[in-house]
Amino acid sequence: MEHRQTKHEEDKVYSLLGIFGVYIPPFYGEGMGRALTRLQDEINKLEKCTQDLYITNPRRDKARIKETKGGLLEESRLLWIKGDPGKGKTMLLCGIINELSRSMAIAAHLCYFLCQATDSRINSATAVLRGLLFMLVSQQPSLVSHLREKHDKTGKALFENPNA
């Protein structure tokens, strides 16, 4: 501000408005001292408002809760949503899947499985694993070779028998 050359001395103060994220209307002729006082008052009001808004710091709360609960499982790429029927889990996940598909550089690396209690085909652990394996093999066909040896010996029973 000191080395700034302006037509009016108040402009030196007005040039700081954006830096501090405040707005005061310019009153040319008020002088630099008065303009600086108004700027400081506006900054103080902004800080007071922020202080009055404060009830808690969500970042600290998150850290405290995470620490109290034993921390996160780092590097986990699994999202598991569960809850009572009719609460919107499926629609929430459909939206998340759509967003992830759009935002990923290679959407083909996204795997998901939606269980549904009313459909016996898709409500078991075996169904979940088969569905995820199907998506993986569809996306990366070379992975099917890891299943082929056992499948060649047992056929479809590999995926359907009680030991599947």
Side-chain angles (χ1 to χ4, degrees):
M1 176 178 98
E2 289 177 17
H3 302 294
R4 191 174 201 107
Q5 292 187 5
T6 61
K7 186 174 181 181
H8 303 280
E9 65 176 5
E10 299 92 333
D11 282 335
K12 290 183 178 188
V13 174
Y14 301 153
S15 69
L16 300 174
L17 297 178
I19 294 170
F20 290 106
V22 297
Y23 174 76
I24 57 171
F27 294 135
Y28 289 105
E30 70 177 326
M32 194 162 96
R34 176 70 184 124
L36 191 55
T37 300
R38 287 192 316 119
L39 174 62
Q40 289 170 332
D41 287 346
E42 198 61 31
I43 292 169
N44 290 340
K45 288 177 187 175
L46 185 66
E47 288 174 353
K48 174 78 169 105
C49 179
T50 303
Q51 288 170 355
D52 290 347
L53 177 64
Y54 177 84
I55 188 170
T56 186
N57 184 332
R59 288 181 187 91
R60 284 195 217 129
D61 290 339
K62 178 180 171 263
R64 177 185 46 78
I65 291 168
K66 190 169 80 171
E67 187 178 314
T68 312
K69 301 282 183 176
L72 296 174
L73 293 174
E74 296 297 328
E75 299 299 321
S76 176
R77 304 292 300 218
L78 175 68
L79 173 63
W80 190 289
I81 305 289
K82 77 179 217 180
D84 295 332
K87 300 297 183 192
K89 299 176 299 296
T90 301
M91 296 312 292
L92 170 68
L93 285 171
C94 288
I96 290 171
I97 290 165
N98 291 347
E99 286 301 311
L100 287 173
S101 295
R102 278 194 286 268
S103 68
M104 293 177 70
I106 303 173
H109 292 128
L110 178 64
C111 292
Y112 53 88
F113 188 88
L114 300 173
C115 295
Q116 191 171 22
T118 57
D119 187 340
S120 61
R121 295 173 310 114
I122 56 174
N123 69 359
S124 68
T126 304
V128 172
L129 291 174
R130 284 180 67 180
L132 292 173
L133 282 171
F134 177 80
M135 286 193 86
L136 284 170
V137 167
S138 298
Q139 295 167 4
Q140 298 289 323
S142 63
L143 294 176
V144 76
S145 64
H146 298 283
L147 297 173
R148 280 286 313 279
E149 185 181 335
K150 288 185 179 183
H151 183 263
D152 288 348
K153 291 178 185 172
T154 60
K156 194 174 181 180
L158 174 65
F159 306 120
E160 295 178 343
N161 73 29
N163 295 321

